[in-house]
Amino acid sequence: MPSTPYLVPYYAVDSLLQPFKHFGVNLGLTRIVKLLETLNNPHTQVPIIHVAGTNGKGSVCAYLSSILTESGYKTGRYTSPHLVDWNERICINEKPIASEELTKLIEKVKAVINLNEEQPTQFEIITAASWLYFAQEKVDIAVVEVGLGGRLDATNVCDKPLVTVITSIGRDHWQQLGSNISDIAREKAGIIKAGCPVVMGKLPEDAKRAVICRSVELESPIVVVSPAREISPGWAEYQTVEPGGHIKAIKYPLPLKGQIQLTNSALALASLGMLQRQGWEISGQAIIRGMEKTKWPGRMQWFNWKNRQLLIDGAHNPESAQVLRNYVDSIGDKNKNITWVMGMLTTKDHKDIFRELLKTKDRLYLVPVPGSDYANLDYLKALALETCPDLDFCAIYEDVFLALNAAFGFLKTKDNTNGPVVLCGSLYLIGHFFSQVNPAK
């Protein structure tokens, strides 16, 4: 498969942001509102689509920005986290911001920080830089992904989003958002604004009620989206019912992998339908071209590593782990044994992720996640064997590349009863992998 190019890491950006890393996750809008006020409120100059959700929001943002770019609009995109470079988070027309430009913007943001007040977080600084960039470049529209939660997330500063999207809701980040689905849903529904249209994916019933209640309270029209249907490998069809009962359908290519993309692409198309009703010109051909060109690295991505096919996916919570396992099972014989190379952060639901991924006779190679607070590997090994006692192999490796070499080396000696090698468990692990390899090779 073709590789996705990455920028060379730009350490000046990292060094500028490093002093703010220790403030960690500190949800709240007071700091970002003050910061943006001192920068002349650039966010008020940028029309946005605001996207929240446990899983799928990155893919939805990727579809939206690609299609809007193909429609001729100057389109900003702000997403997180990045895989290799901070630059990846801030794009215009699918192109990451230049390192020199990002450096200037961060310095401008830092220059207005009041040292006698509570300091902004790293995420708030990069978010402020994104608003500055989009306003400075006079984008027609920006697709903005929520960082964590919604109500108190630093992106939640716009009073009138063109469309609000809530893709899915699960228990990821429950430590910050609440211990049950209803609480988490209320936090994510905090991005809904009075009178602004809402597009919602299929949610658990408790979450669905919470989002609909918030929408009704704010008199925000809401559309609950059904998945598109697969019409042939790599192609889907999405249908909507127009006023008067007329059914409108569009067929489009679907380059991103997994059944979940039938839902994610439908959410993007429903959001674009909302824009069309507001007067935005988005043709069927632009949709087809934009879908075809959509890329979202590190999520169910096939990667050629040392002339071997490696499947890469973040799969950092139980819901995304289930999606990954379903995809792996769908591409071949379900009885084939899968080789997992995994690292996970301490804050994740390790047991539930293992429960979704591991099956009898699978092989598991556990690795650290460099530069991150990762789960103890001895603990993960014991938990994996408790969750799936019939693993064919479970061992700890001190480095992801040692683990990959061992995994592929073992499979080379076997017949075709084994399925793919999958690198997963953390987007930070995926980012480390990409930072160490040359994707062009």
Side-chain angles (χ1 to χ4, degrees), residues 280-310:
W280 293 74
E281 296 183 2
I282 305 163
S283 70
Q285 282 302 307
I287 290 172
I288 291 170
R289 290 194 306 268
M291 283 289 185
E292 184 178 31
K293 293 180 180 180
T294 300
K295 295 180 175 66
W296 195 232
R299 287 78 167 180
M300 272 192 268
Q301 175 187 357
W302 287 100
F303 187 86
N304 189 325
W305 182 68
K306 294 185 175 181
N307 295 317
R308 299 151 170 171
Q309 286 297 298
L310 172 66

PDB file of all heavy atoms in Angstrom, residues 280-310:
ATOM      1  N   TRP A 280     -24.195  26.513   1.420  1.00  0.00           N
ATOM      2  CA  TRP A 280     -22.855  26.136   0.984  1.00  0.00           C
ATOM      3  C   TRP A 280     -22.956  25.253  -0.256  1.00  0.00           C
ATOM      4  O   TRP A 280     -23.806  24.358  -0.336  1.00  0.00           O
ATOM      5  CB  TRP A 280     -22.129  25.394   2.107  1.00  0.00           C
ATOM      6  CG  TRP A 280     -21.829  26.266   3.295  1.00  0.00           C
ATOM      7  CD1 TRP A 280     -22.732  26.711   4.224  1.00  0.00           C
ATOM      8  CD2 TRP A 280     -20.565  26.802   3.669  1.00  0.00           C
ATOM      9  NE1 TRP A 280     -22.108  27.502   5.158  1.00  0.00           N
ATOM     10  CE2 TRP A 280     -20.769  27.577   4.851  1.00  0.00           C
ATOM     11  CE3 TRP A 280     -19.280  26.707   3.148  1.00  0.00           C
ATOM     12  CZ2 TRP A 280     -19.743  28.241   5.498  1.00  0.00           C
ATOM     13  CZ3 TRP A 280     -18.253  27.370   3.798  1.00  0.00           C
ATOM     14  CH2 TRP A 280     -18.476  28.129   4.955  1.00  0.00           C
ATOM     15  N   GLU A 281     -22.063  25.508  -1.214  1.00  0.00           N
ATOM     16  CA  GLU A 281     -22.103  24.766  -2.480  1.00  0.00           C
ATOM     17  C   GLU A 281     -21.147  23.576  -2.429  1.00  0.00           C
ATOM     18  O   GLU A 281     -19.926  23.741  -2.453  1.00  0.00           O
ATOM     19  CB  GLU A 281     -21.753  25.709  -3.641  1.00  0.00           C
ATOM     20  CG  GLU A 281     -22.772  26.830  -3.835  1.00  0.00           C
ATOM     21  CD  GLU A 281     -22.453  27.714  -5.022  1.00  0.00           C
ATOM     22  OE1 GLU A 281     -21.456  27.417  -5.723  1.00  0.00           O
ATOM     23  OE2 GLU A 281     -23.187  28.695  -5.245  1.00  0.00           O
ATOM     24  N   ILE A 282     -21.739  22.404  -2.335  1.00  0.00           N
ATOM     25  CA  ILE A 282     -20.963  21.158  -2.234  1.00  0.00           C
ATOM     26  C   ILE A 282     -21.593  20.162  -3.198  1.00  0.00           C
ATOM     27  O   ILE A 282     -22.685  19.650  -2.953  1.00  0.00           O
ATOM     28  CB  ILE A 282     -20.986  20.601  -0.790  1.00  0.00           C
ATOM     29  CG1 ILE A 282     -20.487  21.665   0.194  1.00  0.00           C
ATOM     30  CG2 ILE A 282     -20.155  19.334  -0.687  1.00  0.00           C
ATOM     31  CD1 ILE A 282     -20.851  21.392   1.640  1.00  0.00           C
ATOM     32  N   SER A 283     -20.918  19.918  -4.299  1.00  0.00           N
ATOM     33  CA  SER A 283     -21.494  19.075  -5.348  1.00  0.00           C
ATOM     34  C   SER A 283     -21.248  17.599  -5.075  1.00  0.00           C
ATOM     35  O   SER A 283     -20.377  17.218  -4.278  1.00  0.00           O
ATOM     36  CB  SER A 283     -20.882  19.441  -6.702  1.00  0.00           C
ATOM     37  OG  SER A 283     -19.515  19.036  -6.741  1.00  0.00           O
ATOM     38  N   GLY A 284     -22.004  16.769  -5.779  1.00  0.00           N
ATOM     39  CA  GLY A 284     -21.796  15.330  -5.679  1.00  0.00           C
ATOM     40  C   GLY A 284     -20.400  14.926  -6.125  1.00  0.00           C
ATOM     41  O   GLY A 284     -19.775  14.037  -5.531  1.00  0.00           O
ATOM     42  N   GLN A 285     -19.894  15.574  -7.155  1.00  0.00           N
ATOM     43  CA  GLN A 285     -18.546  15.256  -7.635  1.00  0.00           C
ATOM     44  C   GLN A 285     -17.487  15.631  -6.608  1.00  0.00           C
ATOM     45  O   GLN A 285     -16.497  14.925  -6.432  1.00  0.00           O
ATOM     46  CB  GLN A 285     -18.277  15.983  -8.956  1.00  0.00           C
ATOM     47  CG  GLN A 285     -18.928  15.326 -10.161  1.00  0.00           C
ATOM     48  CD  GLN A 285     -18.478  13.880 -10.322  1.00  0.00           C
ATOM     49  OE1 GLN A 285     -17.286  13.568 -10.355  1.00  0.00           O
ATOM     50  NE2 GLN A 285     -19.456  12.981 -10.423  1.00  0.00           N
ATOM     51  N   ALA A 286     -17.691  16.755  -5.908  1.00  0.00           N
ATOM     52  CA  ALA A 286     -16.744  17.158  -4.863  1.00  0.00           C
ATOM     53  C   ALA A 286     -16.758  16.139  -3.724  1.00  0.00           C
ATOM     54  O   ALA A 286     -15.708  15.824  -3.144  1.00  0.00           O
ATOM     55  CB  ALA A 286     -17.087  18.549  -4.346  1.00  0.00           C
ATOM     56  N   ILE A 287     -17.942  15.619  -3.410  1.00  0.00           N
ATOM     57  CA  ILE A 287     -18.040  14.589  -2.375  1.00  0.00           C
ATOM     58  C   ILE A 287     -17.273  13.339  -2.789  1.00  0.00           C
ATOM     59  O   ILE A 287     -16.490  12.784  -2.005  1.00  0.00           O
ATOM     60  CB  ILE A 287     -19.521  14.266  -2.086  1.00  0.00           C
ATOM     61  CG1 ILE A 287     -20.185  15.445  -1.364  1.00  0.00           C
ATOM     62  CG2 ILE A 287     -19.639  12.984  -1.251  1.00  0.00           C
ATOM     63  CD1 ILE A 287     -21.677  15.297  -1.197  1.00  0.00           C
ATOM     64  N   ILE A 288     -17.459  12.909  -4.013  1.00  0.00           N
ATOM     65  CA  ILE A 288     -16.781  11.693  -4.488  1.00  0.00           C
ATOM     66  C   ILE A 288     -15.271  11.897  -4.501  1.00  0.00           C
ATOM     67  O   ILE A 288     -14.511  11.050  -4.018  1.00  0.00           O
ATOM     68  CB  ILE A 288     -17.316  11.312  -5.888  1.00  0.00           C
ATOM     69  CG1 ILE A 288     -18.772  10.837  -5.774  1.00  0.00           C
ATOM     70  CG2 ILE A 288     -16.436  10.227  -6.523  1.00  0.00           C
ATOM     71  CD1 ILE A 288     -19.469  10.667  -7.101  1.00  0.00           C
ATOM     72  N   ARG A 289     -14.817  13.030  -5.031  1.00  0.00           N
ATOM     73  CA  ARG A 289     -13.373  13.296  -5.073  1.00  0.00           C
ATOM     74  C   ARG A 289     -12.794  13.437  -3.669  1.00  0.00           C
ATOM     75  O   ARG A 289     -11.705  12.938  -3.367  1.00  0.00           O
ATOM     76  CB  ARG A 289     -13.083  14.561  -5.888  1.00  0.00           C
ATOM     77  CG  ARG A 289     -13.323  14.440  -7.375  1.00  0.00           C
ATOM     78  CD  ARG A 289     -12.683  15.602  -8.125  1.00  0.00           C
ATOM     79  NE  ARG A 289     -13.110  16.902  -7.597  1.00  0.00           N
ATOM     80  CZ  ARG A 289     -14.158  17.587  -8.056  1.00  0.00           C
ATOM     81  NH1 ARG A 289     -14.880  17.099  -9.048  1.00  0.00           N
ATOM     82  NH2 ARG A 289     -14.468  18.767  -7.524  1.00  0.00           N
ATOM     83  N   GLY A 290     -13.517  14.143  -2.799  1.00  0.00           N
ATOM     84  CA  GLY A 290     -13.039  14.337  -1.442  1.00  0.00           C
ATOM     85  C   GLY A 290     -12.961  13.042  -0.658  1.00  0.00           C
ATOM     86  O   GLY A 290     -11.987  12.793   0.068  1.00  0.00           O
ATOM     87  N   MET A 291     -13.968  12.200  -0.803  1.00  0.00           N
ATOM     88  CA  MET A 291     -13.936  10.889  -0.144  1.00  0.00           C
ATOM     89  C   MET A 291     -12.745  10.064  -0.642  1.00  0.00           C
ATOM     90  O   MET A 291     -12.021   9.452   0.141  1.00  0.00           O
ATOM     91  CB  MET A 291     -15.239  10.125  -0.415  1.00  0.00           C
ATOM     92  CG  MET A 291     -16.412  10.592   0.408  1.00  0.00           C
ATOM     93  SD  MET A 291     -16.219  10.133   2.148  1.00  0.00           S
ATOM     94  CE  MET A 291     -17.783  10.680   2.816  1.00  0.00           C
ATOM     95  N   GLU A 292     -12.559  10.073  -1.947  1.00  0.00           N
ATOM     96  CA  GLU A 292     -11.484   9.284  -2.549  1.00  0.00           C
ATOM     97  C   GLU A 292     -10.114   9.711  -2.035  1.00  0.00           C
ATOM     98  O   GLU A 292      -9.222   8.880  -1.843  1.00  0.00           O
ATOM     99  CB  GLU A 292     -11.540   9.439  -4.067  1.00  0.00           C
ATOM    100  CG  GLU A 292     -10.534   8.593  -4.814  1.00  0.00           C
ATOM    101  CD  GLU A 292     -10.667   8.761  -6.319  1.00  0.00           C
ATOM    102  OE1 GLU A 292     -11.065   9.863  -6.760  1.00  0.00           O
ATOM    103  OE2 GLU A 292     -10.394   7.800  -7.047  1.00  0.00           O
ATOM    104  N   LYS A 293      -9.928  10.996  -1.758  1.00  0.00           N
ATOM    105  CA  LYS A 293      -8.626  11.518  -1.354  1.00  0.00           C
ATOM    106  C   LYS A 293      -8.413  11.511   0.163  1.00  0.00           C
ATOM    107  O   LYS A 293      -7.337  11.868   0.633  1.00  0.00           O
ATOM    108  CB  LYS A 293      -8.460  12.952  -1.873  1.00  0.00           C
ATOM    109  CG  LYS A 293      -8.367  13.045  -3.395  1.00  0.00           C
ATOM    110  CD  LYS A 293      -8.205  14.491  -3.832  1.00  0.00           C
ATOM    111  CE  LYS A 293      -8.102  14.600  -5.358  1.00  0.00           C
ATOM    112  NZ  LYS A 293      -7.943  16.012  -5.794  1.00  0.00           N
ATOM    113  N   THR A 294      -9.422  11.113   0.921  1.00  0.00           N
ATOM    114  CA  THR A 294      -9.313  11.182   2.379  1.00  0.00           C
ATOM    115  C   THR A 294      -8.236  10.245   2.909  1.00  0.00           C
ATOM    116  O   THR A 294      -8.177   9.070   2.535  1.00  0.00           O
ATOM    117  CB  THR A 294     -10.655  10.832   3.048  1.00  0.00           C
ATOM    118  OG1 THR A 294     -11.657  11.763   2.616  1.00  0.00           O
ATOM    119  CG2 THR A 294     -10.530  10.894   4.563  1.00  0.00           C
ATOM    120  N   LYS A 295      -7.405  10.776   3.791  1.00  0.00           N
ATOM    121  CA  LYS A 295      -6.377   9.983   4.480  1.00  0.00           C
ATOM    122  C   LYS A 295      -6.483  10.262   5.968  1.00  0.00           C
ATOM    123  O   LYS A 295      -6.741  11.387   6.385  1.00  0.00           O
ATOM    124  CB  LYS A 295      -4.973  10.347   3.980  1.00  0.00           C
ATOM    125  CG  LYS A 295      -4.700  10.012   2.525  1.00  0.00           C
ATOM    126  CD  LYS A 295      -3.283  10.408   2.130  1.00  0.00           C
ATOM    127  CE  LYS A 295      -2.947   9.969   0.705  1.00  0.00           C
ATOM    128  NZ  LYS A 295      -3.760  10.676  -0.289  1.00  0.00           N
ATOM    129  N   TRP A 296      -6.265   9.233   6.777  1.00  0.00           N
ATOM    130  CA  TRP A 296      -6.250   9.410   8.224  1.00  0.00           C
ATOM    131  C   TRP A 296      -5.265   8.392   8.800  1.00  0.00           C
ATOM    132  O   TRP A 296      -5.626   7.304   9.200  1.00  0.00           O
ATOM    133  CB  TRP A 296      -7.652   9.234   8.810  1.00  0.00           C
ATOM    134  CG  TRP A 296      -7.767   9.742  10.218  1.00  0.00           C
ATOM    135  CD1 TRP A 296      -8.256   9.079  11.285  1.00  0.00           C
ATOM    136  CD2 TRP A 296      -7.380  11.040  10.702  1.00  0.00           C
ATOM    137  NE1 TRP A 296      -8.208   9.860  12.417  1.00  0.00           N
ATOM    138  CE2 TRP A 296      -7.670  11.080  12.082  1.00  0.00           C
ATOM    139  CE3 TRP A 296      -6.815  12.178  10.110  1.00  0.00           C
ATOM    140  CZ2 TRP A 296      -7.405  12.198  12.868  1.00  0.00           C
ATOM    141  CZ3 TRP A 296      -6.555  13.282  10.895  1.00  0.00           C
ATOM    142  CH2 TRP A 296      -6.849  13.282  12.254  1.00  0.00           C
ATOM    143  N   PRO A 297      -3.971   8.756   8.821  1.00  0.00           N
ATOM    144  CA  PRO A 297      -2.911   7.808   9.170  1.00  0.00           C
ATOM    145  C   PRO A 297      -3.037   7.246  10.581  1.00  0.00           C
ATOM    146  O   PRO A 297      -3.541   7.906  11.498  1.00  0.00           O
ATOM    147  CB  PRO A 297      -1.630   8.645   9.035  1.00  0.00           C
ATOM    148  CG  PRO A 297      -2.003   9.785   8.141  1.00  0.00           C
ATOM    149  CD  PRO A 297      -3.436  10.068   8.435  1.00  0.00           C
ATOM    150  N   GLY A 298      -2.553   6.024  10.734  1.00  0.00           N
ATOM    151  CA  GLY A 298      -2.481   5.406  12.047  1.00  0.00           C
ATOM    152  C   GLY A 298      -3.774   4.789  12.522  1.00  0.00           C
ATOM    153  O   GLY A 298      -3.855   4.272  13.623  1.00  0.00           O
ATOM    154  N   ARG A 299      -4.789   4.818  11.680  1.00  0.00           N
ATOM    155  CA  ARG A 299      -6.067   4.206  12.039  1.00  0.00           C
ATOM    156  C   ARG A 299      -6.410   3.166  10.990  1.00  0.00           C
ATOM    157  O   ARG A 299      -6.694   3.480   9.862  1.00  0.00           O
ATOM    158  CB  ARG A 299      -7.184   5.243  12.119  1.00  0.00           C
ATOM    159  CG  ARG A 299      -7.106   6.158  13.339  1.00  0.00           C
ATOM    160  CD  ARG A 299      -6.079   7.230  13.191  1.00  0.00           C
ATOM    161  NE  ARG A 299      -6.201   8.285  14.213  1.00  0.00           N
ATOM    162  CZ  ARG A 299      -5.400   9.329  14.286  1.00  0.00           C
ATOM    163  NH1 ARG A 299      -4.409   9.485  13.407  1.00  0.00           N
ATOM    164  NH2 ARG A 299      -5.564  10.226  15.223  1.00  0.00           N
ATOM    165  N   MET A 300      -6.342   1.920  11.379  1.00  0.00           N
ATOM    166  CA  MET A 300      -6.549   0.788  10.479  1.00  0.00           C
ATOM    167  C   MET A 300      -5.852   1.011   9.147  1.00  0.00           C
ATOM    168  O   MET A 300      -6.444   0.982   8.082  1.00  0.00           O
ATOM    169  CB  MET A 300      -8.033   0.500  10.325  1.00  0.00           C
ATOM    170  CG  MET A 300      -8.493  -0.450  11.414  1.00  0.00           C
ATOM    171  SD  MET A 300     -10.094  -1.162  11.216  1.00  0.00           S
ATOM    172  CE  MET A 300     -11.089   0.017  12.086  1.00  0.00           C
ATOM    173  N   GLN A 301      -4.564   1.224   9.242  1.00  0.00           N
ATOM    174  CA  GLN A 301      -3.720   1.537   8.087  1.00  0.00           C
ATOM    175  C   GLN A 301      -2.770   0.370   7.816  1.00  0.00           C
ATOM    176  O   GLN A 301      -2.050  -0.083   8.704  1.00  0.00           O
ATOM    177  CB  GLN A 301      -2.899   2.804   8.373  1.00  0.00           C
ATOM    178  CG  GLN A 301      -1.902   3.157   7.285  1.00  0.00           C
ATOM    179  CD  GLN A 301      -1.007   4.315   7.686  1.00  0.00           C
ATOM    180  OE1 GLN A 301      -1.155   4.897   8.754  1.00  0.00           O
ATOM    181  NE2 GLN A 301      -0.056   4.648   6.826  1.00  0.00           N
ATOM    182  N   TRP A 302      -2.760  -0.096   6.587  1.00  0.00           N
ATOM    183  CA  TRP A 302      -1.780  -1.093   6.177  1.00  0.00           C
ATOM    184  C   TRP A 302      -0.484  -0.385   5.806  1.00  0.00           C
ATOM    185  O   TRP A 302      -0.496   0.608   5.087  1.00  0.00           O
ATOM    186  CB  TRP A 302      -2.302  -1.908   4.987  1.00  0.00           C
ATOM    187  CG  TRP A 302      -3.370  -2.880   5.381  1.00  0.00           C
ATOM    188  CD1 TRP A 302      -4.712  -2.729   5.238  1.00  0.00           C
ATOM    189  CD2 TRP A 302      -3.162  -4.153   5.996  1.00  0.00           C
ATOM    190  NE1 TRP A 302      -5.370  -3.823   5.730  1.00  0.00           N
ATOM    191  CE2 TRP A 302      -4.450  -4.725   6.195  1.00  0.00           C
ATOM    192  CE3 TRP A 302      -2.039  -4.878   6.399  1.00  0.00           C
ATOM    193  CZ2 TRP A 302      -4.628  -5.976   6.778  1.00  0.00           C
ATOM    194  CZ3 TRP A 302      -2.214  -6.118   6.980  1.00  0.00           C
ATOM    195  CH2 TRP A 302      -3.488  -6.667   7.165  1.00  0.00           C
ATOM    196  N   PHE A 303       0.604  -0.913   6.327  1.00  0.00           N
ATOM    197  CA  PHE A 303       1.895  -0.254   6.174  1.00  0.00           C
ATOM    198  C   PHE A 303       2.945  -1.289   5.766  1.00  0.00           C
ATOM    199  O   PHE A 303       3.016  -2.378   6.360  1.00  0.00           O
ATOM    200  CB  PHE A 303       2.294   0.391   7.505  1.00  0.00           C
ATOM    201  CG  PHE A 303       3.520   1.251   7.438  1.00  0.00           C
ATOM    202  CD1 PHE A 303       3.431   2.581   7.073  1.00  0.00           C
ATOM    203  CD2 PHE A 303       4.773   0.727   7.739  1.00  0.00           C
ATOM    204  CE1 PHE A 303       4.560   3.384   7.013  1.00  0.00           C
ATOM    205  CE2 PHE A 303       5.898   1.524   7.689  1.00  0.00           C
ATOM    206  CZ  PHE A 303       5.791   2.854   7.316  1.00  0.00           C
ATOM    207  N   ASN A 304       3.716  -0.928   4.756  1.00  0.00           N
ATOM    208  CA  ASN A 304       4.764  -1.834   4.286  1.00  0.00           C
ATOM    209  C   ASN A 304       6.034  -1.575   5.090  1.00  0.00           C
ATOM    210  O   ASN A 304       6.696  -0.558   4.910  1.00  0.00           O
ATOM    211  CB  ASN A 304       5.012  -1.601   2.787  1.00  0.00           C
ATOM    212  CG  ASN A 304       5.934  -2.658   2.190  1.00  0.00           C
ATOM    213  OD1 ASN A 304       6.845  -3.142   2.840  1.00  0.00           O
ATOM    214  ND2 ASN A 304       5.677  -2.998   0.932  1.00  0.00           N
ATOM    215  N   TRP A 305       6.358  -2.498   6.000  1.00  0.00           N
ATOM    216  CA  TRP A 305       7.545  -2.369   6.835  1.00  0.00           C
ATOM    217  C   TRP A 305       8.485  -3.528   6.547  1.00  0.00           C
ATOM    218  O   TRP A 305       8.145  -4.687   6.738  1.00  0.00           O
ATOM    219  CB  TRP A 305       7.152  -2.374   8.317  1.00  0.00           C
ATOM    220  CG  TRP A 305       8.315  -2.187   9.253  1.00  0.00           C
ATOM    221  CD1 TRP A 305       9.054  -1.058   9.405  1.00  0.00           C
ATOM    222  CD2 TRP A 305       8.870  -3.166  10.139  1.00  0.00           C
ATOM    223  NE1 TRP A 305      10.043  -1.266  10.347  1.00  0.00           N
ATOM    224  CE2 TRP A 305       9.946  -2.541  10.811  1.00  0.00           C
ATOM    225  CE3 TRP A 305       8.561  -4.488  10.427  1.00  0.00           C
ATOM    226  CZ2 TRP A 305      10.709  -3.221  11.762  1.00  0.00           C
ATOM    227  CZ3 TRP A 305       9.322  -5.168  11.367  1.00  0.00           C
ATOM    228  CH2 TRP A 305      10.391  -4.530  12.031  1.00  0.00           C
ATOM    229  N   LYS A 306       9.665  -3.201   6.018  1.00  0.00           N
ATOM    230  CA  LYS A 306      10.650  -4.213   5.637  1.00  0.00           C
ATOM    231  C   LYS A 306      10.035  -5.268   4.712  1.00  0.00           C
ATOM    232  O   LYS A 306      10.250  -6.479   4.877  1.00  0.00           O
ATOM    233  CB  LYS A 306      11.249  -4.884   6.885  1.00  0.00           C
ATOM    234  CG  LYS A 306      12.075  -3.944   7.748  1.00  0.00           C
ATOM    235  CD  LYS A 306      12.744  -4.707   8.890  1.00  0.00           C
ATOM    236  CE  LYS A 306      13.662  -3.799   9.690  1.00  0.00           C
ATOM    237  NZ  LYS A 306      14.350  -4.516  10.785  1.00  0.00           N
ATOM    238  N   ASN A 307       9.244  -4.778   3.750  1.00  0.00           N
ATOM    239  CA  ASN A 307       8.579  -5.637   2.766  1.00  0.00           C
ATOM    240  C   ASN A 307       7.598  -6.614   3.410  1.00  0.00           C
ATOM    241  O   ASN A 307       7.328  -7.682   2.866  1.00  0.00           O
ATOM    242  CB  ASN A 307       9.608  -6.407   1.932  1.00  0.00           C
ATOM    243  CG  ASN A 307      10.455  -5.481   1.092  1.00  0.00           C
ATOM    244  OD1 ASN A 307       9.945  -4.535   0.492  1.00  0.00           O
ATOM    245  ND2 ASN A 307      11.760  -5.721   1.056  1.00  0.00           N
ATOM    246  N   ARG A 308       7.078  -6.232   4.565  1.00  0.00           N
ATOM    247  CA  ARG A 308       6.051  -7.040   5.230  1.00  0.00           C
ATOM    248  C   ARG A 308       4.836  -6.157   5.470  1.00  0.00           C
ATOM    249  O   ARG A 308       4.980  -4.971   5.773  1.00  0.00           O
ATOM    250  CB  ARG A 308       6.571  -7.573   6.572  1.00  0.00           C
ATOM    251  CG  ARG A 308       7.793  -8.467   6.445  1.00  0.00           C
ATOM    252  CD  ARG A 308       8.605  -8.346   7.700  1.00  0.00           C
ATOM    253  NE  ARG A 308       9.685  -9.341   7.784  1.00  0.00           N
ATOM    254  CZ  ARG A 308      10.631  -9.320   8.701  1.00  0.00           C
ATOM    255  NH1 ARG A 308      10.654  -8.362   9.620  1.00  0.00           N
ATOM    256  NH2 ARG A 308      11.567 -10.245   8.728  1.00  0.00           N
ATOM    257  N   GLN A 309       3.665  -6.717   5.364  1.00  0.00           N
ATOM    258  CA  GLN A 309       2.433  -5.958   5.559  1.00  0.00           C
ATOM    259  C   GLN A 309       2.064  -5.947   7.044  1.00  0.00           C
ATOM    260  O   GLN A 309       1.801  -6.993   7.652  1.00  0.00           O
ATOM    261  CB  GLN A 309       1.300  -6.550   4.735  1.00  0.00           C
ATOM    262  CG  GLN A 309       1.418  -6.250   3.246  1.00  0.00           C
ATOM    263  CD  GLN A 309       1.340  -4.756   2.969  1.00  0.00           C
ATOM    264  OE1 GLN A 309       0.327  -4.106   3.247  1.00  0.00           O
ATOM    265  NE2 GLN A 309       2.405  -4.189   2.416  1.00  0.00           N
ATOM    266  N   LEU A 310       2.060  -4.749   7.614  1.00  0.00           N
ATOM    267  CA  LEU A 310       1.755  -4.542   9.021  1.00  0.00           C
ATOM    268  C   LEU A 310       0.483  -3.711   9.123  1.00  0.00           C
ATOM    269  O   LEU A 310       0.350  -2.685   8.469  1.00  0.00           O
ATOM    270  CB  LEU A 310       2.927  -3.809   9.689  1.00  0.00           C
ATOM    271  CG  LEU A 310       2.752  -3.331  11.126  1.00  0.00           C
ATOM    272  CD1 LEU A 310       2.612  -4.516  12.074  1.00  0.00           C
ATOM    273  CD2 LEU A 310       3.939  -2.453  11.535  1.00  0.00           C
TER     274      LEU A 310
END
